[in-house]
Each structure stands twice: as structure tokens, then as C-alpha cells.
Amino acid sequence: MTLSPLVSLIGRRVGASLVTLLFVSLAVFGIAQLMEGDVAEAILGQSATPEALAGLRAAMHLDQPAWERYLEWATGVLTGDPGRSLITGLPVWEMIAARLGNSLTLAGLTALVSVPLALLLGIVAAVKRGTAFDRTISIATIGIVSVPEFLIATLAVMLFAVTLRWLPALSSTRDVHSTWDLVRVFAMPVFSLACFVMAQMVRMTRAAVIDALDTSYAEAARLKGCSPARVVLRHALPNAIGPIANAIALSLSTLLGGVIVVEIIFNYPGVARLMVDAVATRDLPLVQTVAVIFCIAYLLLVTTADVVAILANPRLRHR
Amino acid sequence: MSRLAISGRIGLALVVLWVIVALAGPALAPHGVGEVVDLDVFSGVSRAFPLGTDYLGRDMLSRVLYGARYTVFIAFVATAIAVVTGVLLGLAAAAGGWVDMLLSRLFDIVIAIPSLMFALVVIAATGASIPVLIGTLAVIYTPGAFRTARSLAMGVMALDFVSAARARGEGLPYIVVREVLPNVTGPLAADFGLRFVFVVLLLSGLSFLGLGVQPPEADLGALVRENIAGLGFGAPAVLFPAVAIASLTIGMNLLIDSLPGRRRR
């Protein structure tokens, strides 16, 4: 029995991602080895006796060669036991699991708001190319793309919390008693993140739709008397799905970086804050693991976009 | 450069302004960088303190004038290393063969790690210092410069005058330096500016998180961080360093966008 070419194409794409993930995890583990001295010295401090150091090294398997430690850590990440934090002594996975939900809620809400809105703005800007609306969108998105994430968050706090006094400057999920509270707490973090994520998505969506509208089949559809809406929805959009999926994935991956800044500014208890604190205290087991989780999320987004692009391209179905 | 659009001129003016500030900032500053000159903290915009004062009562204008040099210099050196390395390797890879395979696969791995994550892991392992920051930023942005240079060079390699040079019996080094390089300098200059913007944003982000330039030194991102307590009551000390970064990056983007041969739709 032969597999359909589509399945094997997707299989190859997913396989390539898994290989990339393997190398990425190796790179993250390798960079962490740049630390002067080792983890045992970091825990015991400078006054430790050689015997104590040797004992702790043996206990933490630091005397094993690097590749064995990598294998142990990598299987640990996969099975949910990637070691313990150097600072708190708690299992790394427990610390991450306690906060992962918060970060995913923030990222999920942002995606929910920004994806439909960005697609709408991008498509409308492409259709109304060259008008005042399109130019405004272009200038606004270029502006947002070229400023630091924390400027947008800072401006949002100044506008909504300080000047207008509509929202609290800090978020805490503990004060949530009703849906309205939830909206108030999440409004500013989600707004700041969405601004940032949307800017890129709008630009790329607009470019993809313009490309599709410039083709000869779109021209033919216009000439046979299709309404503008039909030209866009029926003729241009299906051919722009691949690039648009790519735009969404790439923009959502900037969400990963934005989440870090937003969680810090709004004092939000998520994984990204945990990561930043761990970097400041040089808690490497925690840093390595969170970094790999972010890399997995990133690869997942990019791979999904590629698979969607393959599925959306009918030419690839019959080969 | 003689016929820049209005937006390009504004961009050029902003970039030139920041270069002057980076070179001569301390000479222009009305107060010393660590001097406490105001009894009040987080004071607003006034004649004596055009950008207000910070959390210790230091003059923000002077702090920004001193801080900009860290941002501009670190970003410039890191970008220069990244672009020069990327272009050299990109030109080498454009000839094809195993060098191309090896470099492309290697850089694919670096690109698959989100840039902020990459920087955070390095800083966790080695600690934050200016050489580490420059090195890390350079490594993160080399793959992008490599890809741009490689695809540009490959495009030129396929053109007729390169075939003519080959037919004349010119060697690869001659072709790369004399035929390909002069035809890709324009786009590469634009790429340099674009990458400079990315580096400034990442560096500022790191400093904002307290993981970039370390006290007592402070770049523009670190200035935002140290005054973040003033955010709740709208102190200009938080806003102005962030606006300073934005004016540098927006200026550079406007300038690049109006360069000849980069007309966007």
C-alpha cells in the first residue's frame, strides 16, 4: 500500500521539525554548559571543601560525561522530571506547571482577540489599497513594529490607568470575582500584547492578499463581473491561506517574546516571569527547561503553519 | 541620497541626531550622570529639568544623553559583527557545495530558537556583561544576515556578466569580490539598518528585564527599568527613555524605507 503523497509530505515536514527540536535542545543544553565552574560550586559557594563538592557532584551525576547528562535531562523533560531548581530545591516541573496555565491564558486570550481582528484589518487594507485607511494602517503598523514592546505597555498604563483611571495598573488574578473583574484585569496586558502581535500579522496578511489580487485569475474574475467581495473571498483568499497561516504563526511567535515583557510590567504570575527571575539568579536547570518549552511552542506554531499551507495548496494533493 | 522623500529626511535627521548624542552626549549633558540635583523624585517636565527627574532626583535629560551611547555603541558593534560575518559566510555559501549545506543547516538551528530565549540562556550561563551582550546579539543576528547575503549573491551569480567572467577564466575570489559584491551593497546596507533596529530592540528589552547593561551603567532600556516604579503615577522618567529608543528605531526604519530600490507597495 502506498501512502498518499500528501501524508508523506506532511510526515516529512513533521519529521524535519522533530530533528530541528533535537538540535535546538542540544544547543540550549550546550549553551548552559558555558557556565564557569559547575552547578555544584554554584550551590555550595566558594568555601566548600573538595570532598563536599565531589559528593554533591556524584549525587547530581555531574561526574558523568556531558552527553549522558544531556540524555538524562532530555528524557526528564519528556517524562516530566527535568531535575530540581538550584535556588528553591523544588522540582522544576512543579514550578513551571503552577504558572503555565496563567501564561497560556494570557497568550490564548491575546490570540483570540488579535487573529480575527488582524485578518480583518489586513484584508480590508489590501482591498482598499492606496486609500487613507490603508495608509493609516501602514503607518500605525510600521510604528508599532519598530518600537520596543515595553513602550506600548507603558503607554497603555499611562493612558488607561493614570490619565483615564479606567483600569488598575497591576493585574492580579486573585481579585477576580466576576466576568467584569476578569475583563478589567486582562484588558491592559492583552491590549498591549495584541497591539504588538497584530502589527506584524496585519502587514503580512495585507501583502499576501495583495499578491493574490494582483494575479491574472483575480483580474479575470473582475472582468467577468464578479463583485469585489466575491473576488476577494472566493478567488483571492483561498490562494492566500498558505502565506496568511505563515503570517499568523510568525506573529504568534513574537507573542512569546512579548509575553515576557508584559508579565514583568503588569506583575503577572506566569512562566515568563519565572524564567526572568531564574536567569537573574542563574538557576540553570529551570532556565534550560523553560527555554526548551518556548522552543517547542515556537516549532509547533511554525510546523502547523507549514502543514496548513500544504493542506491549502490543492496542487500538492495530486502528485 | 540627494532625493530622499520627506519621511526619509525625517529618518535621516533622527539617526544623525542619535549618532551625535552617542558621540558627544556627556559633553551636552547639563548635569553629571550620577548627580542628584532635585530634592523631589519623579518630578515632571520643567524649565530646569526638560525631561523631569528620576527615582533618585537625577536629571533625566543627562541620564538619557549618557545612556544613549551604550545603546547605540553596543548595537552598532553587534550589528557590524553579525553583518560582516553573515556576508562573508553568505558569499562563501553562494558558490554552493558542502559549505552551503553545512552553514545553512547550522544557521537553521539558531533561527529555530526565539532570539530572546537564546539571549536569556546565554546570560543565565555566563552572566550579563557588555562583551557577552555584544557576542550574543551578534550570534543571534548572523543567520539573518547570512540568509540575506546568500540569496542576494545567488541571484547575481545567475546573471550573464558572471557567466562572462567565468568564461574569461576568472577565479571564484575575483568573481565574488569584483562582480557580485558591488551589485549587492545597496540591499546589504538596508539589511544592516534593519538588523540594527532588531538589535536595539532586543538589547533594550534585555536591559528592561534587568539582564542587559548592568548598574551603575545604564543604557536606554535600563533607564526605563530603574524608573518603572514611577509608572503608576505617570512620571516622565519612565516614558522618555522608551520614547528615545522609539525615535531611534523609527528613524532608522523611515530612512531604510526611503532608500532607492526599496519601494514598498
Side-chain angles (χ1 to χ4, degrees):
Chain A
M1 190 189 98
T2 54
L3 280 170
S4 91
L6 196 64
V7 173
S8 73
L9 203 60
I10 293 173
R12 237 180 299 153
R13 186 63 195 83
V14 173
S17 295
L18 289 176
V19 173
T20 310
L21 180 61
L22 173 71
F23 280 106
V24 164
S25 69
L26 268 171
V28 168
F29 185 82
I31 297 169
Q33 307 306 310
L34 289 174
M35 189 175 181
E36 281 172 61
D38 65 10
V39 169
E41 284 174 38
I43 294 178
L44 293 176
Q46 291 189 327
S47 55
T49 61
E51 292 79 24
L53 277 176
L56 188 61
R57 283 200 184 113
M60 295 180 74
H61 308 295
L62 288 177
D63 45 355
Q64 291 168 353
W67 65 269
E68 271 184 34
R69 279 183 287 131
Y70 168 75
L71 280 183
E72 202 172 314
W73 171 69
T75 45
V77 171
L78 293 176
T79 55
D81 179 29
R84 282 170 181 275
S85 158
L86 299 183
I87 307 297
T88 62
L90 292 171
V92 164
W93 197 248
E94 227 171 73
M95 297 174 73
I96 295 172
R99 285 164 166 238
L100 197 57
N102 288 341
S103 287
L104 287 178
T105 312
L106 185 60
L109 278 175
T110 308
L112 213 62
V113 173
S114 53
V115 173
L117 200 56
L119 292 187
L120 187 70
L121 286 176
I123 293 169
V124 173
V127 174
K128 295 185 177 276
R129 173 154 47 135
T131 60
F133 175 80
D134 178 37
R135 278 202 299 274
T136 315
I137 291 281
S138 287
I139 293 171
T141 51
I142 284 196
I144 293 174
V145 168
S146 40
V147 302
E149 291 108 327
F150 54 78
L151 177 64
I152 296 165
T154 310
L155 288 177
V157 173
M158 290 215 168
L159 183 63
F160 295 119
V162 180
T163 312
L164 298 173
R165 300 187 180 283
W166 286 352
L167 298 164
L170 299 175
S171 323
S172 165
T173 36
R174 265 171 303 176
D175 304 334
V176 172
H177 302 295
S178 65
T179 324
W180 179 235
D181 285 347
L182 193 75
V183 172
R184 278 171 62 86
V185 165
F186 278 105
M188 260 193 308
V190 169
F191 171 81
S192 323
L193 264 180
C195 269
F196 208 74
V197 173
M198 276 171 55
Q200 192 107 11
M201 220 183 297
V202 170
R203 288 173 67 85
M204 293 170 77
T205 307
R206 176 178 173 276
V209 175
I210 283 182
D211 275 343
L213 283 175
D214 272 351
T215 51
S216 38
Y217 60 79
E219 182 73 38
R222 264 191 295 270
L223 290 176
K224 80 175 183 195
C226 276
S227 67
R230 196 176 153 80
V231 174
V232 173
L233 296 177
R234 190 77 192 87
H235 296 272
L237 265 191
N239 288 292
I241 284 179
I244 289 178
N246 204 20
I248 294 175
L250 279 181
S251 312
L252 288 182
S253 69
T254 62
L255 187 64
L256 299 178
V259 156
I260 298 185
V261 169
V262 166
E263 286 189 5
I264 294 288
I265 286 210
F266 296 103
N267 218 0
Y268 185 85
V271 180
R273 254 183 73 89
L274 190 69
M275 171 80 174
V276 171
D277 293 343
V279 173
T281 54
R282 304 179 70 177
D283 190 348
L284 280 174
L286 190 50
V287 171
Q288 278 177 20
T289 308
V290 178
V292 163
I293 291 177
F294 272 84
C295 291
I296 292 174
Y298 177 70
L299 279 172
L300 207 62
L301 280 173
V302 177
T303 312
T304 312
D306 281 356
V307 171
V308 169
I310 292 172
L311 289 175
N313 187 346
R315 273 163 292 191
L316 295 177
R317 278 178 219 153
H318 315 281
R319 265 218 307 220
Chain B
M1 292 298 268
S2 57
R3 275 205 199 89
L4 275 181
I6 295 287
S7 62
R9 286 181 194 191
I10 298 173
L12 185 63
L14 283 171
V15 172
V16 169
L17 170 79
W18 283 111
V19 170
I20 293 173
V21 167
L23 292 173
L28 301 171
H31 302 280
V33 67
E35 230 177 298
V36 177
V37 288
D38 189 10
L39 292 175
D40 201 10
V41 296
F42 289 133
S43 60
V45 174
S46 66
R47 185 166 293 216
F49 310 113
L51 303 186
T53 56
D54 77 349
Y55 72 117
L56 292 176
R58 295 175 291 193
D59 175 38
M60 265 327 277
L61 177 62
S62 309
R63 301 281 295 162
V64 169
L65 287 176
Y66 273 89
R69 55 189 352 203
Y70 290 101
T71 304
V72 173
F73 277 125
I74 294 175
F76 179 79
V77 174
T79 313
I81 297 175
V83 170
V84 169
T85 320
V87 168
L88 287 180
L89 296 178
L91 290 177
W98 64 270
V99 182
D100 184 26
M101 267 294 285
L102 186 74
L103 289 174
S104 297
R105 289 295 148 276
L106 184 70
F107 286 137
D108 279 351
I109 296 169
V110 181
I111 285 179
I113 306 178
S115 40
L116 192 55
M117 274 304 135
F118 191 102
L120 289 182
V121 177
V122 175
I123 290 166
T126 62
S129 64
I130 289 177
V132 166
L133 284 174
I134 292 178
T136 311
L137 292 167
V139 170
I140 291 173
Y141 289 103
T142 301
F146 166 80
R147 281 189 170 182
T148 310
R150 177 176 173 275
S151 69
L152 283 172
M154 282 189 148
V156 176
M157 287 287 234
L159 295 179
D160 284 343
F161 59 83
V162 175
S163 311
R166 279 223 180 88
R168 284 204 305 272
E170 305 287 3
L172 194 60
Y174 175 92
I175 291 177
V176 168
V177 175
R178 298 298 298 274
E179 307 281 352
V180 177
L181 204 53
N183 285 294
V184 296
T185 39
L188 283 183
D191 183 62
F192 184 97
L194 209 58
R195 232 153 278 288
F196 178 79
V197 169
F198 293 147
V199 173
V200 168
L201 291 178
L202 183 55
L203 172 67
S204 307
L206 284 172
S207 288
F208 171 77
L209 298 175
L211 305 169
V213 178
Q214 296 297 310
E217 296 164 320
D219 66 342
L220 295 174
L223 288 179
V224 180
R225 175 191 173 78
E226 62 182 26
N227 292 308
I228 199 74
L231 183 59
F233 28 94
V238 195
L239 195 58
F240 280 121
V243 171
I245 300 167
S247 71
L248 171 61
T249 49
I250 291 179
M252 185 60 97
N253 268 341
L254 288 177
L255 178 61
I256 299 164
D257 257 15
S258 63
L259 287 180
R262 272 188 65 91
R263 283 270 157 268
R264 288 197 179 161
R265 276 181 297 190

